[in-house]
Amino acid sequence: MKLTLQQLKVFATIARHGNLGGAAGELCLSKGAVSQSLQELERQLATPLFDRVHPRLQLNNEGRLLQPAAEKAAAYSRHLYDIAAATGAEVSKTAEAQFAELQKSFMGAVDAAVKNAPAGTENAVALVKSAVAAANNAYESVHKAAKQAAEVAESNFTAMTSTAVKAT
């Protein structure tokens, strides 16, 4: 038997809403996906977890036994995500600082080489400086776009998590 965190989240959300539609909306899944996940969980446990009183789903005794563990697992996964996000932000900040320092050192080396360059190499030196500036600009653009995408994804996840917590 292999229960997944997703199955436990689906179960806990259905238990809170009492129906598949509300759970599907909160989880941003289709009603069919929620139903399939619940069916698989019940199949793996070899027992129904809800009494089907159309259109409601009411926890039965087995479901009431599972609900606290499922809620704890969902809360634990949210907590782990928060830790991972904070760690990722710190690693990113450290990497950015190291990259900025490396970039500064490299530009210092280029400037020192320019000062010691033989006469008549001004065009080559200008070309090297231009290439370095273009590479830096490209890196900054890609880095900024990636950072914005990560922030949007994190804010969407945070909004979804807060919606789930409010529904609890």
Side-chain angles (χ1 to χ4, degrees):
M1 171 172 48
K2 182 182 173 192
L3 303 180
T4 67
L5 182 58
Q6 180 67 15
Q7 288 172 326
L8 294 175
K9 284 181 182 179
V10 167
F11 165 76
T13 307
I14 294 170
R16 279 195 307 276
H17 286 274
N19 63 60
L20 298 177
E26 180 180 325
L27 294 167
C28 299
L29 295 172
S30 70
K31 200 171 167 183
V34 169
S35 176
Q36 187 176 18
S37 180
L38 176 61
Q39 287 174 2
E40 180 61 21
L41 177 62
E42 289 177 329
R43 186 191 65 74
Q44 288 178 350
L45 294 173
T47 186
L49 300 169
F50 292 94
D51 291 328
R52 274 96 172 143
V53 183
H54 191 71
R56 307 272 311 152
L57 295 175
Q58 296 176 339
L59 283 172
N60 60 22
N61 289 336
E62 291 82 2
R64 281 190 286 282
L65 289 172
L66 179 61
Q67 186 179 19
E71 292 289 352
K72 279 184 184 178
Y76 184 67
S77 82
R78 284 191 296 271
H79 183 65
L80 282 178
Y81 173 80
D82 291 343
I83 290 170
T87 302
E90 287 299 315
V91 167
S92 178
K93 214 154 94 177
T94 301
E96 286 175 19
Q98 288 178 346
F99 181 77
E101 187 60 36
L102 180 63
Q103 189 177 24
K104 189 176 175 181
S105 290
F106 182 73
M107 287 309 292
V110 168
D111 287 341
V114 166
K115 289 178 186 171
N116 297 325
T121 59
E122 293 83 16
N123 288 341
V125 168
L127 181 64
V128 168
K129 283 184 122 181
S130 176
V132 168
N136 285 338
N137 287 338
Y139 169 78
E140 290 296 326
S141 295
V142 169
H143 179 52
K144 194 179 288 185
K147 196 171 186 178
Q148 286 174 341
E151 288 170 357
V152 166
E154 187 171 347
S155 71
N156 287 344
F157 183 80
T158 302
M160 194 168 58
T161 301
S162 70
T163 301
V165 169
K166 286 177 188 173
T168 324

